[in-house]
Amino acid sequence: MTTSGPEPAPAPSPGTAARDAARDRVGIVMGHEGPYLQLRPLSGGPEWDVDLADIRPVNPAELLRAQVAEANARSRQALREREV
């Protein structure tokens, strides 16, 4: 008799937002390859691979918080560039 853990949750669909719990980052699902999901930052940029076990769903409030954090980071970067 073999016992296995609970079935892993299905991978989120491309275009949906998900949290990479290992890196504490939110990204948009771009695809699924083997045991990994590819996420892209909300504001664009290079994708990164995430183990399916580290994927968590995001609710609307978490998504908004992540979007505001990225917008603020872009704003701070623009201000630093103007100071130079």
Side-chain angles (χ1 to χ4, degrees):
M1 177 174 157
T2 61
T3 58
S4 61
E7 288 292 318
S13 302
T16 60
R19 173 172 300 283
D20 174 352
R23 292 179 182 87
D24 195 28
R25 291 180 67 187
V26 174
I28 301 297
V29 176
M30 301 307 292
H32 180 251
E33 188 68 38
Y36 299 103
L37 203 62
Q38 288 78 40
L39 293 183
R40 179 170 297 210
L42 297 174
S43 59
E47 298 174 4
W48 75 94
D49 289 338
V50 183
D51 190 305
L52 282 172
D54 292 329
I55 291 293
R56 304 290 181 269
V58 293
N59 64 39
E62 290 172 313
L63 178 57
L64 180 60
R65 190 173 318 130
Q67 290 169 326
V68 168
E70 284 201 11
N72 286 341
R74 284 192 310 270
S75 242
R76 284 189 299 272
Q77 180 63 33
L79 286 173
R80 281 192 293 272
E81 289 172 0
R82 262 198 272 167
E83 291 174 353
V84 174

